[in-house]
Amino acid sequence: MRVIVTGGAGFIGSAVIRHLIDDTAMEVANLDKLTYAGNLESLASIAASPRYCFYHVDICDSQALDTVFAEFQPTAIMHLAAESHVDRSIDGPSDFIQTNIVGTYSLLEATRRYWNDLPPEAKKAFRFHHISTDEVYGDLEGTTDLFTETTPYSPSSPYSASKASSDHLVRAWQRTYGLPVLVTNCSNNYGPYHFPEKLIPHVILNALEGKPLPLYGDGSQIRDWLYVEDHARALVEVVSKGVVGETYNIGGHNEKRNLEVVETICELLDELVPLDTNSERSRSYKELITFVKDRPGHDRRYAIDASKIERELGWVPQETFETGLRKTVQWYLDNDQWWQRVLTGDYRLGRLGGDN
Ligand code: NAD
């Protein structure tokens, strides 16, 4: 397979590309605009591979997309490029509408132009895999319901509404034009190379600097956490073996309250980098937890029923929340160079070199 990964310099996209290069024989083109969230340093370990190349392209740029398609001749697209941070979507929805909706439309049309001209066998084997979120389903009532592939859409934020729109476009391109699409909706990811604005890395890095650990509302919102490398493996299973036109929900069976997540990070840090070991009173990073005004429209609970992908494609997560979170905290402790360069903005300096 020759795969174009859009958004390959982002958190999940870079995990997908590292997995594709390290563990498969696929050829990979990373197509990324390099917004603030794109960081080519997350791909340093595979950048020299002869099976990897990078295109510095905006998915809204139809002409540039045509050029990449003609040059790279993909057999599949894995579409992850998106604006992804809910708080930013509340402060300024415009980029979310542009990239997540208009950009997905441009990418679908470029794919359709290219796909229409393929020979029949290649046309049949081609895949357009759209990577989406469980946030399109909105809020779950109570404590036992789960999102399934048939749960009606009810997005709450500009981010989730823009992702829901893009999911609808992708499915319409299959129904209307026969484009062979797959859709996946995944729960919250965490793990290495996560941009520090997101909850888990934000808490780890603030704790290490002795800064407050902000929690929205009372911290009782529930999210279903999945280790990013488990998500990357699931996505590669879906693009390789998934049934065209199907949706697969992906989740880790790890429902946790935000407060529990932050307290667990504090406990891990208390063990790995204890505070003030000489003091009589043993101090904990938990003392830094601070409750702040809740986010508008904040969904209370998300939880995924991932039984379809487990049953039909044999995928199961390898990490529990405990093992995955320990690995993540340890990764941030061992890789301060990566996140220091993100915090100072230096990661953006080298981005003009080496692209096509
Ligand atoms: P991210 O913000 O870390 O990365 C997004 C990437 O897309 C960046 O490299 C950015 O430069 C690129 N990009 C943005 N606009 C672009 C454009 N117009 N053209 C080309 N590239 C552009 O996001 P992420 O957390 O890695 O999420 C990837 C995908 O997975 C998104 O579609 C998101 O909706 C979805 N998703 C994320 C999560 C999660 O927990 N992070 C969960 C489920 C689904």
Side-chain angles (χ1 to χ4, degrees):
M1 281 173 99
R2 297 174 58 76
V3 186
I4 292 179
V5 177
T6 73
F11 168 49
I12 303 172
S14 67
V16 169
I17 293 180
R18 289 191 303 272
H19 174 45
L20 286 171
I21 297 294
D22 288 341
D23 307 315
T24 78
M26 296 187 205
E27 308 266 330
V28 182
N30 174 11
L31 189 157
D32 199 298
K33 180 183 175 181
L34 298 182
T35 66
Y36 79 95
N39 186 350
L40 290 177
E41 293 176 14
S42 305
L43 292 161
S45 66
I46 58 83
S49 166
R51 289 188 290 114
Y52 170 77
C53 64
F54 172 59
Y55 292 94
H56 190 185
V57 164
D58 184 336
I59 56 165
C60 300
D61 182 345
S62 299
Q63 228 178 345
L65 291 177
D66 287 343
T67 305
V68 174
F69 275 77
E71 195 174 301
F72 187 72
Q73 298 279 314
T75 61
I77 312 296
M78 298 176 81
H79 175 35
L80 294 100
E83 287 293 334
S84 71
H85 191 46
V86 176
D87 287 343
R88 284 181 190 259
S89 83
I90 293 168
D91 293 344
S94 162
D95 286 348
F96 289 73
I97 305 306
Q98 187 60 24
T99 285
N100 299 2
I101 306 178
V102 180
T104 298
Y105 158 74
S106 306
L107 185 67
L108 282 165
E109 280 295 78
T111 306
R112 191 163 72 90
R113 286 191 290 276
Y114 166 81
W115 175 77
N116 268 333
D117 289 341
L118 289 175
E121 276 308 303
K123 213 170 163 180
K124 205 169 143 207
F126 190 86
R127 296 289 180 267
F128 184 101
H129 179 182
H130 177 62
I131 284 82
S132 191
T133 164
D134 63 351
E135 299 194 27
V136 297
Y137 300 124
D139 221 358
L140 271 176
E141 289 293 329
T143 54
T144 54
D145 286 356
L146 298 173
F147 296 133
T148 72
E149 287 78 3
T150 55
T151 301
Y153 276 28
S154 182
S156 305
S157 69
Y159 164 67
S160 53
S162 68
K163 289 298 290 187
S165 307
S166 65
D167 293 10
H168 291 317
L169 289 176
V170 170
R171 293 196 180 99
W173 258 241
Q174 197 224 348
R175 283 292 296 269
T176 308
Y177 305 111
L179 193 70
V181 311
L182 298 147
V183 178
T184 49
N185 295 86
C186 185
S187 59
N188 276 39
N189 282 218
Y190 69 100
Y193 302 101
H194 206 178
F195 199 80
E197 68 186 350
K198 302 284 171 77
L199 178 69
I200 289 179
H202 186 63
V203 166
I204 297 170
L205 301 187
N206 270 22
L208 289 176
E209 292 184 14
K211 291 183 182 165
L213 311 180
L215 260 176
Y216 280 128
D218 59 2
S220 66
Q221 301 85 1
I222 295 173
R223 300 291 179 263
D224 182 354
W225 293 94
L226 181 67
Y227 191 63
V228 67
E229 290 172 11
D230 278 327
H231 188 195
R233 283 191 308 103
L235 295 178
V236 174
E237 287 294 299
V238 170
V239 80
S240 323
K241 298 190 214 151
V243 177
V244 168
E246 291 293 316
T247 295
Y248 299 90
N249 278 358
I250 307 171
H253 310 292
N254 285 311
E255 277 185 61
K256 304 283 174 200
R257 290 180 193 284
N258 284 348
L259 178 59
E260 212 179 328
V261 171
V262 173
E263 284 183 339
T264 312
I265 293 171
C266 291
E267 284 159 19
L268 282 163
L269 288 172
D270 285 340
E271 177 196 322
L272 296 167
V273 271
L275 283 166
D276 203 358
T277 39
N278 295 327
S279 151
E280 278 179 24
R281 185 173 75 91
S282 80
R283 291 180 54 214
S284 167
Y285 289 93
K286 287 181 191 171
E287 292 166 25
L288 297 169
I289 293 174
T290 313
F291 296 95
V292 299
K293 190 171 178 290
D294 208 354
R295 168 195 277 168
H298 207 171
D299 290 331
R300 300 296 297 173
R301 176 173 170 258
Y302 302 140
I304 281 272
D305 176 354
S307 57
K308 177 174 169 181
I309 186 173
E310 293 174 2
R311 194 175 57 245
E312 297 186 8
L313 302 183
W315 170 86
V316 280
Q318 288 177 355
E319 302 294 341
T320 63
F321 187 67
E322 288 65 33
T323 61
L325 196 60
R326 181 174 284 277
K327 277 189 178 179
T328 304
V329 171
Q330 192 63 57
W331 187 87
Y332 279 89
L333 292 176
D334 295 342
N335 290 276
D336 57 316
Q337 234 204 330
W338 181 88
W339 56 260
Q340 292 283 11
R341 287 175 60 75
V342 174
L343 294 183
T344 57
D346 286 352
Y347 74 109
R348 303 194 81 162
L349 296 177
R351 55 186 34 207
L352 293 179
D355 56 338
N356 284 324

